[in-house]
Amino acid sequence: MLLHKLKRMNLSKDYADFIQQLQWNYFATWRTPYKIHTMTVRNWLTKLLTRSSKVEQVFFVSERDIGDYNNLHVHMLIGTNTDITYQEVRYGLGNISVGDYQPIYDSEAVCNYVTKHIGKDVDYDIVFKSWKFPSSIDPNTGAWVLENGFSFGI
């Protein structure tokens, strides 16, 4: 039974479904001529969340760059509490290069796109400016239930 469930599991699709339940306002692709390491993006996000009162959460995935296989580019989904300009985000991250920055109109498509390589050799994470501990536990499923009604199992 367990082996059957594992065969059906699609980590990238499951993660896309998960992050699609959150509020995302902007999609960005970031590139730099410098090598991107595991902590590089996390340092960018620390700066962004510290410098901007508008950014609430960020999901990122670092992928191999087709143009430079020895380096990475980073896709980000940015959740905000109000509109934020390209210049504000770029400043918040530390003035790195941008390949693309645009509002999200189709959350499902964007979430599927940024998670396409999850389960392969990629670095990804989701970072929240503040985290409120779940307000309750669903007695039927045992899942945590957040204020917005989103629930997840542990």
Side-chain angles (χ1 to χ4, degrees):
M1 181 71 171
L2 181 60
L3 183 60
H4 175 68
K5 285 184 179 181
L6 288 174
K7 286 182 180 178
R8 291 186 330 177
M9 199 165 81
N10 180 338
L11 186 59
S12 63
K13 176 66 175 130
D14 292 343
Y15 212 92
D17 292 344
F18 166 68
I19 64 171
Q20 188 180 338
Q21 296 179 58
L22 301 171
Q23 177 64 43
W24 304 109
N25 307 90
Y26 297 92
F27 166 79
T29 301
W30 307 97
R31 287 185 165 81
T32 177
Y34 305 105
K35 188 152 180 72
I36 296 174
H37 299 280
T38 302
M39 288 307 297
T40 303
V41 182
R42 286 168 176 80
N43 290 334
W44 292 347
L45 296 182
T46 298
K47 288 178 192 174
L48 179 62
L49 294 172
T50 302
R51 291 178 176 178
S52 175
S53 61
K54 297 179 179 181
V55 177
E56 296 293 331
Q57 66 210 23
V58 180
F59 168 80
F60 79 87
V61 61
S62 301
E63 303 175 354
R64 291 271 172 223
D65 202 277
I66 292 174
D68 179 3
Y69 189 76
N70 294 318
N71 204 0
L72 305 170
H73 64 272
V74 180
H75 295 302
M76 284 186 190
L77 302 179
I78 303 169
T80 63
N81 53 33
T82 188
D83 293 342
I84 189 168
T85 67
Y86 157 79
Q87 290 82 5
E88 290 173 295
V89 174
R90 186 167 181 239
Y91 166 77
L93 292 167
N95 291 318
I96 60 173
S97 301
V98 179
D100 188 22
Y101 180 80
Q102 60 185 309
I104 294 175
Y105 298 108
D106 185 344
S107 182
E108 180 180 5
V110 171
C111 290
N112 285 325
Y113 178 74
V114 298
T115 60
K116 66 188 177 291
H117 293 303
I118 289 182
K120 300 175 185 171
D121 186 24
V122 296
D123 184 30
Y124 62 95
D125 202 352
I126 186 167
V127 180
F128 298 90
K129 180 173 278 186
S130 62
W131 173 258
K132 293 182 181 175
F133 197 74
S135 56
S136 65
I137 295 178
D138 184 322
N140 298 320
T141 65
W144 287 347
V145 180
L146 302 179
E147 290 177 5
N148 64 2
F150 171 67
S151 65
F152 57 96
I154 54 173

Short mmCIF file of all heavy atoms in Angstrom, two decimals, residues 98-154:
data_model
loop_
_atom_site.label_atom_id
_atom_site.label_comp_id
_atom_site.label_asym_id
_atom_site.label_seq_id
_atom_site.Cartn_x
_atom_site.Cartn_y
_atom_site.Cartn_z
N VAL A 98 18.00 41.60 -12.57
CA VAL A 98 16.67 41.02 -12.73
C VAL A 98 16.48 40.59 -14.18
O VAL A 98 16.82 41.31 -15.10
CB VAL A 98 15.58 42.06 -12.39
CG1 VAL A 98 14.20 41.47 -12.58
CG2 VAL A 98 15.75 42.56 -10.99
N GLY A 99 15.95 39.39 -14.36
CA GLY A 99 15.61 38.94 -15.70
C GLY A 99 14.15 39.18 -16.00
O GLY A 99 13.76 39.39 -17.13
N ASP A 100 13.33 39.16 -14.95
CA ASP A 100 11.89 39.29 -15.14
C ASP A 100 11.27 39.72 -13.81
O ASP A 100 11.69 39.27 -12.76
CB ASP A 100 11.31 37.94 -15.59
CG ASP A 100 9.86 38.00 -16.01
OD1 ASP A 100 9.39 39.10 -16.36
OD2 ASP A 100 9.20 36.96 -15.99
N TYR A 101 10.27 40.60 -13.89
CA TYR A 101 9.53 41.02 -12.69
C TYR A 101 8.15 41.43 -13.16
O TYR A 101 8.03 42.31 -14.01
CB TYR A 101 10.23 42.20 -12.00
CG TYR A 101 9.50 42.68 -10.77
CD1 TYR A 101 9.64 42.02 -9.56
CD2 TYR A 101 8.68 43.80 -10.81
CE1 TYR A 101 8.98 42.45 -8.42
CE2 TYR A 101 8.01 44.25 -9.67
CZ TYR A 101 8.16 43.56 -8.49
OH TYR A 101 7.50 43.99 -7.37
N GLN A 102 7.13 40.76 -12.66
CA GLN A 102 5.78 41.07 -13.11
C GLN A 102 4.73 40.63 -12.10
O GLN A 102 4.97 39.72 -11.30
CB GLN A 102 5.52 40.42 -14.46
CG GLN A 102 5.64 38.90 -14.44
CD GLN A 102 5.50 38.31 -15.83
OE1 GLN A 102 4.56 38.62 -16.53
NE2 GLN A 102 6.45 37.48 -16.22
N PRO A 103 3.57 41.30 -12.14
CA PRO A 103 2.46 40.86 -11.28
C PRO A 103 2.00 39.46 -11.70
O PRO A 103 2.16 39.06 -12.85
CB PRO A 103 1.36 41.88 -11.55
CG PRO A 103 2.01 43.01 -12.27
CD PRO A 103 3.22 42.47 -12.93
N ILE A 104 1.43 38.74 -10.76
CA ILE A 104 0.91 37.40 -11.04
C ILE A 104 -0.58 37.51 -11.34
O ILE A 104 -1.35 38.04 -10.54
CB ILE A 104 1.15 36.46 -9.84
CG1 ILE A 104 2.65 36.24 -9.67
CG2 ILE A 104 0.40 35.14 -10.03
CD1 ILE A 104 3.02 35.44 -8.44
N TYR A 105 -0.95 36.99 -12.50
CA TYR A 105 -2.35 36.96 -12.90
C TYR A 105 -2.92 35.54 -12.88
O TYR A 105 -4.12 35.36 -12.75
CB TYR A 105 -2.53 37.56 -14.30
CG TYR A 105 -2.11 39.01 -14.35
CD1 TYR A 105 -0.94 39.40 -15.00
CD2 TYR A 105 -2.86 40.00 -13.72
CE1 TYR A 105 -0.55 40.72 -15.02
CE2 TYR A 105 -2.47 41.33 -13.74
CZ TYR A 105 -1.32 41.69 -14.40
OH TYR A 105 -0.92 43.00 -14.41
N ASP A 106 -2.06 34.54 -13.05
CA ASP A 106 -2.49 33.15 -13.05
C ASP A 106 -1.65 32.37 -12.04
O ASP A 106 -0.59 31.84 -12.38
CB ASP A 106 -2.33 32.56 -14.46
CG ASP A 106 -2.88 31.15 -14.59
OD1 ASP A 106 -3.13 30.48 -13.55
OD2 ASP A 106 -3.06 30.69 -15.73
N SER A 107 -2.11 32.34 -10.80
CA SER A 107 -1.35 31.74 -9.71
C SER A 107 -1.05 30.26 -9.97
O SER A 107 0.06 29.79 -9.71
CB SER A 107 -2.12 31.90 -8.40
OG SER A 107 -1.39 31.36 -7.34
N GLU A 108 -2.01 29.53 -10.49
CA GLU A 108 -1.80 28.10 -10.74
C GLU A 108 -0.66 27.88 -11.72
O GLU A 108 0.24 27.07 -11.48
CB GLU A 108 -3.08 27.45 -11.27
CG GLU A 108 -2.92 25.97 -11.55
CD GLU A 108 -4.18 25.31 -12.07
OE1 GLU A 108 -5.18 26.01 -12.32
OE2 GLU A 108 -4.16 24.08 -12.23
N ALA A 109 -0.66 28.60 -12.83
CA ALA A 109 0.39 28.43 -13.84
C ALA A 109 1.76 28.81 -13.28
O ALA A 109 2.75 28.09 -13.50
CB ALA A 109 0.07 29.27 -15.07
N VAL A 110 1.84 29.92 -12.56
CA VAL A 110 3.12 30.37 -12.02
C VAL A 110 3.63 29.40 -10.96
O VAL A 110 4.82 29.05 -10.95
CB VAL A 110 3.01 31.80 -11.44
CG1 VAL A 110 4.26 32.20 -10.70
CG2 VAL A 110 2.73 32.79 -12.55
N CYS A 111 2.75 28.91 -10.09
CA CYS A 111 3.17 27.96 -9.06
C CYS A 111 3.66 26.65 -9.68
O CYS A 111 4.65 26.07 -9.23
CB CYS A 111 2.05 27.70 -8.07
SG CYS A 111 1.71 29.14 -7.02
N ASN A 112 2.99 26.19 -10.73
CA ASN A 112 3.46 24.99 -11.43
C ASN A 112 4.81 25.23 -12.10
O ASN A 112 5.67 24.36 -12.09
CB ASN A 112 2.43 24.54 -12.48
CG ASN A 112 1.24 23.87 -11.85
OD1 ASN A 112 1.34 23.17 -10.85
ND2 ASN A 112 0.07 24.08 -12.43
N TYR A 113 4.99 26.42 -12.66
CA TYR A 113 6.25 26.73 -13.34
C TYR A 113 7.43 26.76 -12.37
O TYR A 113 8.47 26.16 -12.63
CB TYR A 113 6.14 28.08 -14.07
CG TYR A 113 7.41 28.48 -14.76
CD1 TYR A 113 7.82 27.84 -15.93
CD2 TYR A 113 8.23 29.47 -14.23
CE1 TYR A 113 9.00 28.19 -16.56
CE2 TYR A 113 9.42 29.82 -14.85
CZ TYR A 113 9.80 29.18 -16.01
OH TYR A 113 10.98 29.52 -16.62
N VAL A 114 7.29 27.45 -11.24
CA VAL A 114 8.43 27.59 -10.33
C VAL A 114 8.77 26.30 -9.59
O VAL A 114 9.88 26.16 -9.09
CB VAL A 114 8.26 28.76 -9.33
CG1 VAL A 114 8.14 30.08 -10.05
CG2 VAL A 114 7.11 28.52 -8.38
N THR A 115 7.85 25.37 -9.52
CA THR A 115 8.11 24.11 -8.81
C THR A 115 8.47 22.97 -9.74
O THR A 115 8.65 21.84 -9.28
CB THR A 115 6.89 23.70 -7.96
OG1 THR A 115 5.76 23.54 -8.82
CG2 THR A 115 6.59 24.73 -6.89
N LYS A 116 8.64 23.23 -11.02
CA LYS A 116 8.83 22.16 -12.01
C LYS A 116 10.04 21.27 -11.74
O LYS A 116 10.04 20.11 -12.11
CB LYS A 116 8.91 22.74 -13.42
CG LYS A 116 10.11 23.61 -13.69
CD LYS A 116 10.03 24.30 -15.05
CE LYS A 116 11.18 25.22 -15.31
NZ LYS A 116 11.18 26.42 -14.48
N HIS A 117 11.08 21.80 -11.08
CA HIS A 117 12.29 21.01 -10.81
C HIS A 117 12.41 20.53 -9.36
O HIS A 117 13.41 19.92 -9.00
CB HIS A 117 13.53 21.80 -11.19
CG HIS A 117 13.67 22.05 -12.65
ND1 HIS A 117 13.69 21.05 -13.60
CD2 HIS A 117 13.76 23.21 -13.36
CE1 HIS A 117 13.81 21.56 -14.79
NE2 HIS A 117 13.83 22.88 -14.69
N ILE A 118 11.40 20.82 -8.54
CA ILE A 118 11.46 20.35 -7.15
C ILE A 118 11.42 18.82 -7.15
O ILE A 118 10.65 18.21 -7.87
CB ILE A 118 10.31 20.96 -6.31
CG1 ILE A 118 10.60 22.43 -6.09
CG2 ILE A 118 10.15 20.22 -4.98
CD1 ILE A 118 9.59 23.15 -5.24
N GLY A 119 12.28 18.25 -6.35
CA GLY A 119 12.44 16.80 -6.34
C GLY A 119 13.69 16.40 -7.09
O GLY A 119 14.14 15.26 -7.04
N LYS A 120 14.27 17.36 -7.80
CA LYS A 120 15.56 17.16 -8.48
C LYS A 120 16.60 17.93 -7.66
O LYS A 120 16.34 18.33 -6.54
CB LYS A 120 15.47 17.66 -9.92
CG LYS A 120 14.39 16.94 -10.71
CD LYS A 120 14.22 17.53 -12.08
CE LYS A 120 13.04 16.86 -12.79
NZ LYS A 120 12.71 17.54 -14.03
N ASP A 121 17.75 18.17 -8.21
CA ASP A 121 18.82 18.82 -7.46
C ASP A 121 18.68 20.35 -7.51
O ASP A 121 19.41 21.03 -8.22
CB ASP A 121 20.18 18.39 -8.03
CG ASP A 121 21.34 18.91 -7.23
OD1 ASP A 121 21.15 19.19 -6.03
OD2 ASP A 121 22.44 19.03 -7.79
N VAL A 122 17.69 20.88 -6.77
CA VAL A 122 17.49 22.33 -6.69
C VAL A 122 17.33 22.73 -5.23
O VAL A 122 16.94 21.93 -4.39
CB VAL A 122 16.23 22.79 -7.49
CG1 VAL A 122 16.40 22.53 -8.97
CG2 VAL A 122 14.97 22.15 -6.97
N ASP A 123 17.63 23.99 -4.96
CA ASP A 123 17.45 24.55 -3.62
C ASP A 123 16.16 25.36 -3.65
O ASP A 123 15.94 26.15 -4.57
CB ASP A 123 18.64 25.44 -3.28
CG ASP A 123 18.57 25.99 -1.87
OD1 ASP A 123 17.99 25.32 -0.99
OD2 ASP A 123 19.11 27.09 -1.66
N TYR A 124 15.31 25.18 -2.66
CA TYR A 124 14.06 25.94 -2.59
C TYR A 124 13.66 26.11 -1.14
O TYR A 124 14.07 25.35 -0.26
CB TYR A 124 12.94 25.26 -3.38
CG TYR A 124 12.58 23.88 -2.88
CD1 TYR A 124 11.52 23.70 -1.99
CD2 TYR A 124 13.28 22.75 -3.31
CE1 TYR A 124 11.19 22.43 -1.53
CE2 TYR A 124 12.94 21.49 -2.86
CZ TYR A 124 11.91 21.34 -1.98
OH TYR A 124 11.58 20.08 -1.52
N ASP A 125 12.87 27.17 -0.90
CA ASP A 125 12.42 27.43 0.46
C ASP A 125 11.29 28.45 0.40
O ASP A 125 11.10 29.14 -0.60
CB ASP A 125 13.57 27.98 1.30
CG ASP A 125 13.37 27.78 2.80
OD1 ASP A 125 12.28 27.34 3.22
OD2 ASP A 125 14.32 28.06 3.55
N ILE A 126 10.58 28.53 1.48
CA ILE A 126 9.54 29.54 1.64
C ILE A 126 9.83 30.26 2.95
O ILE A 126 10.13 29.61 3.96
CB ILE A 126 8.12 28.92 1.60
CG1 ILE A 126 7.06 30.00 1.61
CG2 ILE A 126 7.93 27.93 2.70
CD1 ILE A 126 5.68 29.48 1.28
N VAL A 127 9.80 31.59 2.91
CA VAL A 127 10.16 32.39 4.07
C VAL A 127 9.01 33.35 4.36
O VAL A 127 8.51 34.01 3.45
CB VAL A 127 11.46 33.18 3.80
CG1 VAL A 127 11.84 34.01 5.00
CG2 VAL A 127 12.58 32.24 3.41
N PHE A 128 8.62 33.42 5.62
CA PHE A 128 7.56 34.33 6.06
C PHE A 128 8.16 35.41 6.94
O PHE A 128 9.02 35.13 7.78
CB PHE A 128 6.50 33.57 6.86
CG PHE A 128 5.80 32.51 6.09
CD1 PHE A 128 6.29 31.21 6.07
CD2 PHE A 128 4.66 32.80 5.37
CE1 PHE A 128 5.64 30.22 5.35
CE2 PHE A 128 4.01 31.82 4.64
CZ PHE A 128 4.50 30.52 4.63
N LYS A 129 7.69 36.64 6.77
CA LYS A 129 8.16 37.73 7.64
C LYS A 129 7.75 37.44 9.08
O LYS A 129 8.52 37.58 10.01
CB LYS A 129 7.59 39.07 7.20
CG LYS A 129 8.08 40.22 8.09
CD LYS A 129 7.65 41.55 7.58
CE LYS A 129 8.63 41.96 6.50
NZ LYS A 129 8.42 43.30 6.00
N SER A 130 6.52 37.05 9.27
CA SER A 130 6.06 36.68 10.59
C SER A 130 5.20 35.43 10.45
O SER A 130 4.54 35.23 9.44
CB SER A 130 5.26 37.81 11.23
OG SER A 130 4.10 38.08 10.48
N TRP A 131 5.23 34.63 11.44
CA TRP A 131 4.48 33.37 11.42
C TRP A 131 3.59 33.34 12.63
O TRP A 131 4.06 33.49 13.76
CB TRP A 131 5.44 32.19 11.43
CG TRP A 131 4.73 30.88 11.58
CD1 TRP A 131 4.62 30.15 12.72
CD2 TRP A 131 4.03 30.15 10.58
NE1 TRP A 131 3.90 29.02 12.49
CE2 TRP A 131 3.52 28.99 11.18
CE3 TRP A 131 3.77 30.38 9.24
CZ2 TRP A 131 2.78 28.06 10.48
CZ3 TRP A 131 3.03 29.43 8.55
CH2 TRP A 131 2.55 28.30 9.17
N LYS A 132 2.31 33.17 12.38
CA LYS A 132 1.38 33.01 13.49
C LYS A 132 1.13 31.52 13.66
O LYS A 132 0.79 30.83 12.71
CB LYS A 132 0.06 33.73 13.19
CG LYS A 132 0.22 35.23 13.14
CD LYS A 132 -1.10 35.90 12.89
CE LYS A 132 -0.92 37.39 12.81
NZ LYS A 132 -2.14 38.08 12.45
N PHE A 133 1.32 31.07 14.88
CA PHE A 133 1.09 29.66 15.13
C PHE A 133 -0.37 29.34 14.81
O PHE A 133 -1.26 30.16 15.04
CB PHE A 133 1.41 29.33 16.59
CG PHE A 133 1.60 27.86 16.82
CD1 PHE A 133 2.75 27.23 16.38
CD2 PHE A 133 0.63 27.12 17.46
CE1 PHE A 133 2.93 25.88 16.58
CE2 PHE A 133 0.80 25.77 17.66
CZ PHE A 133 1.96 25.14 17.22
N PRO A 134 -0.63 28.19 14.25
CA PRO A 134 -2.00 27.84 13.88
C PRO A 134 -2.98 28.08 15.02
O PRO A 134 -2.69 27.80 16.17
CB PRO A 134 -1.90 26.35 13.54
CG PRO A 134 -0.48 26.17 13.14
CD PRO A 134 0.31 27.13 13.98
N SER A 135 -4.14 28.60 14.63
CA SER A 135 -5.12 28.98 15.65
C SER A 135 -5.91 27.79 16.19
O SER A 135 -6.48 27.88 17.26
CB SER A 135 -6.07 30.03 15.08
OG SER A 135 -6.67 29.56 13.91
N SER A 136 -5.92 26.69 15.45
CA SER A 136 -6.64 25.53 15.95
C SER A 136 -6.17 24.27 15.23
O SER A 136 -5.42 24.33 14.27
CB SER A 136 -8.15 25.71 15.74
OG SER A 136 -8.45 25.75 14.36
N ILE A 137 -6.65 23.15 15.72
CA ILE A 137 -6.37 21.86 15.09
C ILE A 137 -7.70 21.24 14.73
O ILE A 137 -8.62 21.16 15.55
CB ILE A 137 -5.57 20.94 16.04
CG1 ILE A 137 -4.20 21.56 16.30
CG2 ILE A 137 -5.45 19.54 15.45
CD1 ILE A 137 -3.34 20.77 17.25
N ASP A 138 -7.82 20.82 13.47
CA ASP A 138 -9.05 20.19 12.99
C ASP A 138 -9.19 18.83 13.69
O ASP A 138 -8.33 17.96 13.54
CB ASP A 138 -8.97 20.00 11.48
CG ASP A 138 -10.25 19.44 10.88
OD1 ASP A 138 -10.88 18.57 11.51
OD2 ASP A 138 -10.61 19.87 9.78
N PRO A 139 -10.27 18.62 14.46
CA PRO A 139 -10.42 17.37 15.20
C PRO A 139 -10.61 16.16 14.29
O PRO A 139 -10.32 15.03 14.70
CB PRO A 139 -11.66 17.62 16.07
CG PRO A 139 -12.40 18.72 15.40
CD PRO A 139 -11.38 19.54 14.68
N ASN A 140 -11.08 16.37 13.06
CA ASN A 140 -11.31 15.24 12.15
C ASN A 140 -10.04 14.76 11.47
O ASN A 140 -9.86 13.57 11.25
CB ASN A 140 -12.34 15.62 11.09
CG ASN A 140 -13.69 15.94 11.70
OD1 ASN A 140 -14.13 15.27 12.63
ND2 ASN A 140 -14.33 16.98 11.21
N THR A 141 -9.16 15.71 11.12
CA THR A 141 -7.96 15.35 10.37
C THR A 141 -6.67 15.48 11.16
O THR A 141 -5.65 14.94 10.77
CB THR A 141 -7.83 16.24 9.11
OG1 THR A 141 -7.63 17.59 9.54
CG2 THR A 141 -9.06 16.12 8.23
N GLY A 142 -6.70 16.25 12.25
CA GLY A 142 -5.49 16.50 13.01
C GLY A 142 -4.60 17.55 12.38
O GLY A 142 -3.49 17.80 12.82
N ALA A 143 -5.08 18.20 11.31
CA ALA A 143 -4.30 19.22 10.60
C ALA A 143 -4.38 20.55 11.33
O ALA A 143 -5.39 20.86 11.96
CB ALA A 143 -4.82 19.38 9.17
N TRP A 144 -3.31 21.33 11.23
CA TRP A 144 -3.33 22.69 11.76
C TRP A 144 -4.20 23.54 10.86
O TRP A 144 -4.18 23.41 9.64
CB TRP A 144 -1.94 23.28 11.77
CG TRP A 144 -1.04 22.72 12.82
CD1 TRP A 144 -1.38 21.95 13.89
CD2 TRP A 144 0.37 22.90 12.90
NE1 TRP A 144 -0.28 21.64 14.63
CE2 TRP A 144 0.81 22.22 14.05
CE3 TRP A 144 1.30 23.57 12.13
CZ2 TRP A 144 2.14 22.19 14.44
CZ3 TRP A 144 2.61 23.55 12.51
CH2 TRP A 144 3.03 22.87 13.65
N VAL A 145 -4.96 24.46 11.44
CA VAL A 145 -5.82 25.35 10.68
C VAL A 145 -5.39 26.79 10.98
O VAL A 145 -5.37 27.21 12.13
CB VAL A 145 -7.31 25.16 11.05
CG1 VAL A 145 -8.19 26.10 10.24
CG2 VAL A 145 -7.73 23.71 10.85
N LEU A 146 -5.05 27.52 9.93
CA LEU A 146 -4.64 28.91 10.08
C LEU A 146 -5.85 29.82 10.06
O LEU A 146 -6.96 29.39 9.71
CB LEU A 146 -3.67 29.29 8.97
CG LEU A 146 -2.40 28.43 8.87
CD1 LEU A 146 -1.53 28.90 7.71
CD2 LEU A 146 -1.63 28.47 10.17
N GLU A 147 -5.63 31.08 10.40
CA GLU A 147 -6.73 32.06 10.44
C GLU A 147 -7.44 32.19 9.10
O GLU A 147 -8.63 32.44 9.04
CB GLU A 147 -6.20 33.42 10.89
CG GLU A 147 -5.80 33.45 12.33
CD GLU A 147 -5.20 34.79 12.73
OE1 GLU A 147 -5.19 35.71 11.91
OE2 GLU A 147 -4.75 34.90 13.88
N ASN A 148 -6.71 32.03 7.98
CA ASN A 148 -7.32 32.18 6.66
C ASN A 148 -8.05 30.92 6.19
O ASN A 148 -8.52 30.85 5.08
CB ASN A 148 -6.26 32.58 5.62
CG ASN A 148 -5.21 31.52 5.41
OD1 ASN A 148 -5.26 30.44 6.01
ND2 ASN A 148 -4.24 31.80 4.57
N GLY A 149 -8.10 29.90 7.05
CA GLY A 149 -8.80 28.67 6.71
C GLY A 149 -7.90 27.61 6.09
O GLY A 149 -8.29 26.47 5.95
N PHE A 150 -6.68 27.98 5.68
CA PHE A 150 -5.74 27.04 5.11
C PHE A 150 -5.36 26.03 6.18
O PHE A 150 -5.12 26.40 7.33
CB PHE A 150 -4.52 27.79 4.59
CG PHE A 150 -3.39 26.89 4.16
CD1 PHE A 150 -3.54 26.07 3.06
CD2 PHE A 150 -2.20 26.86 4.87
CE1 PHE A 150 -2.50 25.24 2.66
CE2 PHE A 150 -1.16 26.04 4.48
CZ PHE A 150 -1.32 25.23 3.37
N SER A 151 -5.30 24.77 5.83
CA SER A 151 -4.90 23.77 6.80
C SER A 151 -3.84 22.86 6.21
O SER A 151 -3.75 22.69 5.00
CB SER A 151 -6.11 22.93 7.23
OG SER A 151 -6.60 22.19 6.16
N PHE A 152 -3.01 22.30 7.08
CA PHE A 152 -2.00 21.36 6.62
C PHE A 152 -1.69 20.38 7.73
O PHE A 152 -1.80 20.69 8.91
CB PHE A 152 -0.73 22.08 6.14
CG PHE A 152 -0.10 22.98 7.16
CD1 PHE A 152 0.94 22.50 7.96
CD2 PHE A 152 -0.52 24.28 7.31
CE1 PHE A 152 1.53 23.33 8.89
CE2 PHE A 152 0.08 25.11 8.24
CZ PHE A 152 1.10 24.63 9.04
N GLY A 153 -1.35 19.17 7.33
CA GLY A 153 -1.03 18.11 8.28
C GLY A 153 0.41 18.19 8.73
O GLY A 153 1.24 18.83 8.10
N ILE A 154 0.68 17.56 9.83
CA ILE A 154 2.06 17.54 10.34
C ILE A 154 2.56 16.12 10.40
O ILE A 154 1.82 15.19 10.33
CB ILE A 154 2.16 18.21 11.73
CG1 ILE A 154 1.17 17.57 12.69
CG2 ILE A 154 1.93 19.68 11.61
CD1 ILE A 154 1.31 18.04 14.12
#
